[in-house]
Amino acid sequence: RLQSRQLPATMNCMSRFLSVPSCKKKRKEATIVFEGTVRTDFSRQSREEATAQNKVLALLQNKSGDRTYLVLNDKAVRKVYDKFGFYNTIYPLNIQGKEPSHCIVKQVDVNPINDAEIRNIVLYDYKPNSNTLVDIPVELMNEDKCPGLKKGGVLNLVLHHVTCICNGDSIPLSIQLDLSEVNVGTRVMFDQLQVPAGLEILPKEHYKKMPVLTIRASRATMQLQMQQQKESDKAAKKEAAGK
């Protein structure tokens, strides 16, 4: 005669969880918004109080040269300070008593002893179709497929950022440079860069002459090539003498 046995309560709970497939939803990253107030007190005591209250002193500039001094909540700034593309991302700016606008970060000043403490930040009022100058970082792609690096070449990224004229509603995070076909002795010039839509490289004079990237043979590789050339020359001389 078969006897039915009742599973413990813990086993029943486990079987219940195992039978249901997990369907966790990915969290959508919230839009970072810089918020704050207009700064009216420029005393040393006011500056120290702002630092103690985790506030960041800021300067907002526009194309006309007008300046507005602000006090920002540092929570939003700290969230994006160490992220790639921090200086070429458009951030919404909400200042109490003023209309919402957008800005980009131009400069950040941190405490030289404690770099986690942001002393002040310089912002620039961004508007589309206003010919705003932005430094876009150069991002290297397919380094593992680069024939020049596989041969022992030394990569030299001459310019890490390229100054561009931006007029779009958004700014690309980077200008990507594909290395999958770059060999030893290659010089990648500015006219070979694939610039994203909405960007125009600022026509600087040195941009016409200076390469963005070069790959040269390492000293060890050059010495090995010279040694191989000498051995090849000796072998050729011996063969010619034997004839």
Side-chain angles (χ1 to χ4, degrees):
R1 185 178 180 181
L2 296 176
Q3 294 181 351
S4 61
R5 291 187 298 173
Q6 187 175 4
L7 292 174
T10 54
M11 292 295 292
N12 285 334
C13 293
M14 287 179 64
S15 62
R16 191 181 308 131
F17 282 117
L18 289 172
S19 61
V20 179
S22 75
C23 52
K24 291 183 179 180
K25 294 183 178 179
K26 292 183 179 180
R27 288 186 177 182
K28 187 178 180 181
E29 291 188 6
T31 303
I32 300 298
V33 180
F34 292 170
E35 297 179 331
T37 58
V38 176
R39 183 184 177 191
T40 55
D41 189 353
F42 297 91
S43 64
R44 180 177 178 180
Q45 181 182 356
S46 173
R47 185 169 65 249
E48 291 176 350
E49 288 178 355
T51 303
Q53 296 172 4
N54 294 326
K55 304 288 185 180
V56 176
L57 304 180
L59 170 64
L60 177 65
Q61 297 176 321
N62 61 15
K63 192 174 182 179
S64 303
D66 300 329
R67 297 185 171 190
T68 305
Y69 295 90
L70 309 171
V71 180
L72 301 179
N73 299 328
D74 74 335
K75 188 176 181 181
V77 178
R78 292 185 188 282
K79 278 185 178 180
V80 293
Y81 173 57
D82 292 330
K83 289 189 176 182
F84 181 76
F86 173 63
Y87 289 95
N88 54 303
T89 299
I90 303 173
Y91 301 100
L93 179 64
N94 292 339
I95 302 301
Q96 187 176 355
K98 292 184 173 292
E99 294 184 0
S101 59
H102 292 81
C103 66
I104 58 175
V105 178
K106 282 292 186 181
Q107 184 179 342
V108 176
D109 181 24
V110 298
N111 189 330
I113 300 175
N114 180 17
D115 57 2
E117 179 186 334
I118 301 176
R119 286 183 169 178
N120 54 67
I121 183 172
V122 179
L123 307 175
Y124 186 84
D125 185 30
Y126 183 85
K127 289 181 173 57
N129 303 317
S130 59
N131 293 330
T132 304
L133 298 183
V134 182
D135 290 335
I136 309 294
V138 177
E139 185 179 8
L140 303 181
M141 310 297 292
N142 297 322
E143 287 188 63
D144 56 332
K145 300 178 182 178
C146 178
L149 295 179
K150 288 181 178 180
K151 294 176 182 178
V154 178
L155 186 148
N156 179 26
L157 184 60
V158 181
L159 286 181
H160 295 262
H161 296 81
V162 179
T163 304
C164 297
I165 303 172
C166 302
N167 286 306
D169 295 328
S170 61
I171 302 175
L173 290 179
S174 65
I175 296 177
Q176 296 182 348
L177 179 57
D178 188 8
L179 300 180
S180 59
E181 297 181 0
V182 181
N183 216 326
V184 176
T186 303
R187 293 160 58 93
V188 180
M189 307 303 289
F190 277 89
D191 55 0
Q192 296 175 257
L193 290 177
Q194 294 183 354
V195 181
L199 285 185
E200 179 186 350
I201 295 180
L202 186 67
K204 291 185 177 182
E205 188 63 29
H206 67 277
Y207 280 179
K208 300 177 183 178
K209 305 174 182 178
M210 184 183 297
V212 181
L213 175 142
T214 62
I215 295 184
R216 60 178 178 82
S218 63
R219 182 175 297 179
T221 305
M222 292 174 66
Q223 290 176 349
L224 179 61
Q225 290 175 350
M226 291 174 62
Q227 185 66 28
Q228 291 175 347
Q229 185 64 38
K230 287 181 180 180
E231 293 176 356
S232 177
D233 292 343
K234 285 182 181 179
K237 287 180 180 179
K238 286 182 179 180
E239 186 178 351
K243 290 181 181 180

